Amino acid sequence: MEIKQKKLWFSLILLSLITTTTLGEFGGPLLKGFYKESCPLAEEIVKHNVEVAVLKDPRMAASLLRLQFHDCFVLGCDASVLLDTHGDMVSEKQATPNVNSLRGFEVIDYIKYLLEDACPLTVSCSDIITMAARDSVFLRGGPWWEVLLGRRDSLKASFAGANQFIPAPNSSLDTLIVNFKQQGLNIQDLIALSGAHTIGKARCVSFKQRIVQPNMEQTFYDDEFKRQSTFRRVLRSQCKDSSRDNELSPLDIKTPAYFDNHYYINLLEGKGLLISDNVLVTEDHEGEIYRKVWEYAVDQDLFFLDFVESMLKMGSINVLTGVEGEIRENCRFVNI
Ligand code: HEM
Ligand SMILES: *[C@@H]1O[C@H](CO)[C@@H](O)[C@H](O)[C@H]1NC(C)=O
């Protein structure tokens, strides 16, 4: 009896060891502190150089965060987004959501260069993106979290996948929900991750459809209604004609420099910049999403908690681990 119990405990402990070491927290076989032995300075090197890059260009924090989203939604978090066009493989950088828009490649290249010097062929490009996204959020005043590492890099890119899987800024709520679901992310993840639009900028071409939309926001007070039309009038004048398609506007008009919960306050006031932001409060017929937006608008800690959880989930989409893929020497090309 006693022996049986001991055996049971032993196998339970073994089982939990196996699941925590090989499966990680969200089913992806990733680990905290993956480079502790093989490259002890990895996280420090990334952090320091993200800091330098963001000091030089504050927007870089937003750009590096977005880079992880666009990586993970196409073939999984495997740095496929970093590959340049080569031979008959067309780069994801050329796809509609990315071209003239996605940034931060030089920062990742420089960090990779330093890491190849410190520990050759050890730290994957996809893990660099993951660490850089985390550090960027923290640098702008957002939460810090322990990232799961151990991703490996893809041998290919998918131009078609980038066009198909990265949602368009004029997506309806239903489209966004389906789009996230395809990645194993739920409505809660959609709401929390959209909060990334508390930092960074968008081009006129991304939101001009939104500002010519007829007034259809939920409005509560007359003065609220007036402020909204002012919001749109200002943007309309900024994006007057197509020669201004590349003009930039902050995604969070109130506190663009800070990673905070103002994104959600903006949404409630009808001041979400993209159609895809605004639909979270205008197309939610059950009221479930609206309620969550309201909760985040009044409780920043709750937003931070949920954001971190969803970032861990997004960062685990279809990862390559173990002997899958490779550790690229140069993030722009597969190894020869
Ligand atoms: C829900 C669906 C989403 C849509 C439709 C969307 C769309 C967009 C668009 C159109 C832009 C502006 C691009 C430009 O005009 O050049 C943008 C910027 C940005 N997005 Fe999203 N996005 C979504 C979700 C996310 C998620 C999940 C994240 C990260 C977790 C994210 C992070 C960012 C950031 C940080 C920026 C600013 C980038 C910069 O200033 O360089 N977005 N997004
Ligand atoms: C989104 O915009 C594109 C053009 O940029 C247009 O072709 C498409 O019909 C729009 N989709 C929706 C749902 O409005």
Side-chain angles (χ1 to χ4, degrees):
M1 176 67 190
E2 221 189 316
I3 292 175
K4 251 192 189 163
Q5 243 177 10
K6 266 190 187 154
K7 255 193 175 162
L8 182 68
W9 275 113
F10 181 72
S11 33
L12 272 179
I13 289 168
L14 198 67
L15 188 73
S16 66
L17 268 178
I18 291 170
T19 47
T20 49
T21 53
T22 65
L23 294 176
E25 282 186 15
F26 296 96
L30 301 171
L31 285 174
K32 292 175 178 171
F34 183 82
Y35 298 108
K36 215 161 43 195
E37 249 111 72
S38 59
C39 193
L41 286 179
E43 295 203 37
E44 192 54 42
I45 291 173
V46 174
K47 176 178 153 242
H48 176 72
N49 287 283
V50 169
E51 264 170 30
V52 172
V54 171
L55 268 177
K56 251 195 282 183
D57 170 12
R59 186 186 170 195
M60 191 50 73
S63 306
L64 291 170
L65 172 57
R66 186 175 185 225
L67 201 51
Q68 182 161 44
F69 168 48
H70 286 212
D71 181 30
C72 294
F73 268 51
V74 183
L75 303 174
C77 314
D78 58 0
S80 60
V81 70
L82 300 180
L83 290 172
D84 282 349
T85 295
H86 190 73
D88 52 12
M89 187 189 66
V90 184
S91 174
E92 292 172 19
K93 296 172 188 178
Q94 300 306 314
T96 310
N98 295 336
V99 71
N100 298 324
S101 179
L102 205 59
R103 315 166 70 241
F105 303 112
E106 296 76 15
V107 175
I108 301 290
D109 283 343
Y110 184 59
I111 292 173
K112 179 62 174 172
Y113 161 80
L114 296 173
L115 284 171
E116 281 307 293
D117 203 39
C119 1
L121 293 176
T122 305
V123 183
S124 67
C125 299
S126 38
D127 278 346
I128 296 175
I129 295 177
T130 306
M131 292 183 262
R134 182 266 313 270
D135 295 334
S136 295
V137 168
F138 185 66
L139 274 174
R140 301 277 88 190
W144 188 89
W145 65 97
E146 191 98 53
V147 282
L148 298 168
L149 301 170
R151 291 167 194 77
R152 291 168 64 87
D153 300 325
S154 73
L155 304 174
K156 57 178 197 279
S158 178
F159 171 80
N163 280 321
Q164 186 185 343
F165 294 116
I166 297 168
N170 62 353
S171 302
S172 68
L173 183 60
D174 289 338
T175 304
L176 292 175
I177 290 172
V178 169
N179 189 287
F180 272 60
K181 202 169 171 189
Q182 283 174 325
Q183 306 288 348
L185 300 175
N186 58 30
I187 293 179
Q188 155 88 34
D189 298 316
L190 168 65
I191 309 165
L193 290 172
S194 294
H197 290 170
T198 174
I199 51 173
K201 294 174 181 176
R203 296 163 299 156
C204 283
V205 68
S206 301
F207 61 84
K208 65 181 183 187
Q209 286 178 39
R210 153 94 166 110
I211 52 179
V212 297
Q213 264 182 331
N215 261 311
M216 49 186 249
E217 288 88 357
Q218 291 178 341
T219 51
F220 308 100
Y221 310 108
D222 282 347
D223 59 330
E224 212 31 76
F225 187 84
K226 268 184 225 143
R227 268 192 272 164
Q228 255 191 60
S229 23
T230 313
F231 164 70
R232 289 147 59 111
R233 199 166 50 242
V234 169
L235 291 171
R236 262 201 299 269
S237 73
Q238 192 201 327
C239 304
K240 258 200 295 269
D241 50 64
S242 51
S243 71
R244 308 205 187 183
D245 275 358
N246 289 319
E247 289 280 303
L248 297 169
S249 207
L251 284 154
D252 169 0
I253 56 159
K254 281 217 202 75
T255 55
Y258 296 100
F259 193 101
D260 56 20
N261 65 340
H262 255 100
Y263 169 79
Y264 299 100
I265 300 172
N266 295 337
L267 289 189
L268 293 176
E269 293 178 352
K271 291 173 187 164
L273 186 63
L274 308 177
I275 289 179
S276 60
D277 296 320
N278 196 42
V279 294
L280 293 178
V281 290
T282 56
E283 290 183 9
D284 174 28
H285 305 302
E286 304 286 320
E288 177 201 355
I289 297 175
Y290 189 88
R291 211 158 31 243
K292 209 25 117 196
V293 167
W294 189 84
E295 280 180 42
Y296 291 159
V298 298
D299 186 349
Q300 177 164 281
D301 293 342
L302 179 69
F303 163 51
F304 282 6
L305 271 173
D306 289 354
F307 182 78
V308 167
E309 191 182 312
S310 295
M311 281 298 284
L312 288 168
K313 221 167 139 183
M314 184 176 84
S316 300
I317 297 172
N318 271 328
V319 289
L320 302 170
T321 53
V323 294
E324 297 168 316
E326 64 178 12
I327 304 296
R328 265 180 232 150
E329 189 182 350
N330 176 337
C331 293
R332 292 176 184 266
F333 302 101
V334 298
N335 299 342
I336 356 162

